[in-house]
Amino acid sequence: MNIKNLILLTLIALLSSCDTSTDKKNAKIDTFDKVFIDSLVPMADKNYSVFYAKIKGNSNDSIRLNISSDKTEDEKFDYYFIGDFEKEIRMDYYGESKKYIKLDPYKATDGKLELDYQL
């Protein structure tokens, strides 16, 4: 096997191992001038039992995180954060629909956070 084939096989293995998951994501937010909206899509061949989110960071005022199963927001799934924070959120989830994540800067104008979320 020559070196070109070895490099090609290594490159193919590396690219095929890249995560293109639709049911697990990560976001880093350091500008609070717009609303962040994303969704998680369940994979047909997987079984689910929980939605999990972890938010960690800081803000100079209140921010709002909403988690819902459709594009309309349900206030009972609003979470508010201010100052330095780290919180894990777990909810029952059985793959019934997409999960929408909306992070609204609300009253905050400055801060930095990391959001991990998955089905």
Side-chain angles (χ1 to χ4, degrees):
M1 179 180 286
N2 65 29
I3 192 74
K4 288 182 181 179
N5 288 341
L6 184 58
I7 292 172
L8 182 61
L9 286 175
T10 304
L11 184 60
I12 290 171
L14 179 66
L15 290 175
S16 66
S17 68
C18 291
D19 187 17
T20 58
S21 176
T22 61
D23 64 348
K24 180 178 184 180
K25 296 183 182 178
N26 176 287
K28 294 181 182 184
I29 299 169
D30 57 4
T31 57
F32 286 18
D33 57 347
K34 61 183 175 183
V35 174
F36 171 83
I37 300 174
D38 198 6
S39 65
L40 295 173
V41 179
M43 298 168 83
D45 60 341
K46 287 180 78 173
N47 293 323
Y48 299 98
S49 61
V50 70
F51 166 83
Y52 171 82
K54 179 178 180 182
I55 184 169
K56 179 180 179 180
N58 62 71
S59 66
N60 67 337
D61 208 334
S62 300
I63 60 173
R64 181 174 64 104
L65 177 69
N66 180 271
I67 300 164
S68 61
S69 292
D70 56 29
K71 290 186 179 182
T72 59
E73 297 176 23
D74 188 343
E75 289 182 9
K76 70 180 179 181
F77 298 115
D78 280 350
Y79 300 88
Y80 291 89
F81 304 95
I82 189 170
D84 292 326
F85 50 84
E86 182 172 350
K87 170 106 174 148
E88 292 183 353
I89 300 166
R90 290 179 174 83
M91 306 165 91
D92 288 344
Y93 176 78
Y94 302 106
E96 65 275 2
S97 64
K98 291 182 181 179
K99 267 300 191 197
Y100 291 90
I101 295 87
K102 179 179 178 181
L103 183 73
D104 185 355
Y106 196 50
K107 297 179 181 179
T109 57
D110 189 39
K112 188 175 187 179
L113 65 91
E114 184 169 349
L115 181 61
D116 295 307
Y117 45 106
Q118 67 184 37
L119 299 177

